[in-house]
Amino acid sequence: MTGPIRVALVDDQALMRAGFRALLEAEDGIEVVGEAADGEQGLALVRDQVPDIALVDVQMPVLSGIETTRRIAADPALAAVRVVILTNYGFDSYVFEALRAGASGFLLKDTEPADLLQAIEVVARGEALLSPSVTRTLIGEFVSRPPDRATAPGLESLTRREREVTALAARGLTNEEIAAHMVISPYTAKTHVSRAMTKLGARDRAQLVVFAYESGLVTARGGR
C-alpha cells in the first residue's frame, strides 16, 4: 500500500471518536478522513471518502453497525473498504451476524493503543482481524449449530489443497504457518488461499472462517 492508511470513524459516542482520532492522527502513516455519529452518516461518509478501513460501532442509532457493514460490503464501489467492528465485549450476539455481513474483524473499545495501531495495519494488508478471545467464542457459536451447507455453497468448487488451506486459515494460521504445516512455500500457500477466496466470493480471510465452519469443513476439535 502506498500513502497513508485512510480510516473513517463511525461511533455514536463523541468521546470515543475523539479518543480514536487523537491516537490515530498521532501516528505516521494513518489519516482519519472523517467521523460519523450514526450508521446512516457513516455509510454516507464511507461512500464519499472510500477509506481503506472503517471503524464501526456495532450498536448505533438510525442504522446499526451490522446493517452499515452489510451495505458497505454489498456496494461494488466500496469493495476495497474493510470494516472493523467496535464492541464493548469480547463477544456478543452481534458478532456472528457482523461477520456474515462482511466485517473483516473486531476490536474491543478498551483495546490497548499499540494493539489498535497494529490492528489497523493488519486489516489494511487485507488480513482478517479476530482476537483469540473473540475467535474462541465465535468458533463455539459456529459449532453449537449443525453445519448448514445450504448457507455455504461452493465447497465442491474447491480442490483438495484449497480445502486444506481454507481449513487451516479458519483456525487462524498465517500463510507462513500454513506453508510450514503443508510443506509448501508461503507464496504457494498464499496462492491457494487467494484462489479459495475467489471461488467462494470471500472478501477476506474472515469470510473464509465463516465458510469453513458453516459448511462443516472445520470443527472446534480440529477435524475436517
Side-chain angles (χ1 to χ4, degrees), residues 69-177:
T69 300
R70 184 175 291 114
R71 296 188 189 186
I72 291 173
D75 189 339
L78 304 178
V81 178
R82 295 290 175 258
V83 176
V84 175
I85 293 291
L86 300 172
T87 177
N88 287 313
Y89 310 101
F91 183 86
D92 55 37
S93 60
Y94 301 103
V95 170
F96 180 79
E97 190 176 352
L99 252 188
R100 276 181 160 169
S104 293
F106 303 87
L107 277 176
L108 299 181
K109 288 192 175 183
D110 62 356
T111 295
E112 291 293 327
D115 292 336
L116 170 64
L117 296 174
Q118 181 182 24
I120 295 292
E121 294 177 359
V122 166
V123 176
R125 292 197 301 266
E127 299 177 23
L129 176 67
L130 297 170
S131 70
S133 62
V134 170
T135 302
R136 282 194 297 271
T137 313
L138 180 66
I139 290 172
E141 175 71 10
F142 273 121
V143 299
S144 69
R145 314 171 183 194
D148 185 358
R149 296 180 187 277
T151 64
L155 182 63
E156 68 285 349
S157 71
L158 300 183
T159 65
R160 180 182 61 82
R161 281 289 202 180
E162 289 164 355
R163 291 188 189 197
E164 187 172 359
V165 297
T166 296
L168 294 172
R171 295 192 193 112
L173 273 67
T174 65
N175 288 340
E176 289 72 19
E177 291 168 337

Side-chain angles (χ1 to χ4, degrees), residues 25-97:
E25 289 190 333
E27 188 72 11
D28 291 336
I30 297 178
E31 175 188 356
V32 177
V33 299
E35 300 178 19
D38 61 52
E40 188 171 80
Q41 292 178 13
L43 185 60
L45 171 64
V46 170
R47 284 173 172 164
D48 179 60
Q49 294 293 325
V50 193
D52 299 304
I53 296 172
L55 295 180
V56 178
D57 186 15
V58 72
Q59 292 180 292
M60 291 184 295
V62 186
L63 200 64
S64 72
I66 292 171
E67 184 58 30
T68 301
T69 300
R70 184 175 291 114
R71 296 188 189 186
I72 291 173
D75 189 339
L78 304 178
V81 178
R82 295 290 175 258
V83 176
V84 175
I85 293 291
L86 300 172
T87 177
N88 287 313
Y89 310 101
F91 183 86
D92 55 37
S93 60
Y94 301 103
V95 170
F96 180 79
E97 190 176 352

Side-chain angles (χ1 to χ4, degrees), residues 159-166 168-169 174-197 205 208:
T159 65
R160 180 182 61 82
R161 281 289 202 180
E162 289 164 355
R163 291 188 189 197
E164 187 172 359
V165 297
T166 296
L168 294 172
T174 65
N175 288 340
E176 289 72 19
E177 291 168 337
I178 291 173
H181 181 88
M182 297 177 64
V183 195
I184 57 178
S185 72
Y187 176 80
T188 300
K190 180 179 180 180
T191 299
H192 284 314
V193 171
S194 296
R195 286 176 178 170
M197 287 172 55
R205 294 170 82 101
L208 284 185

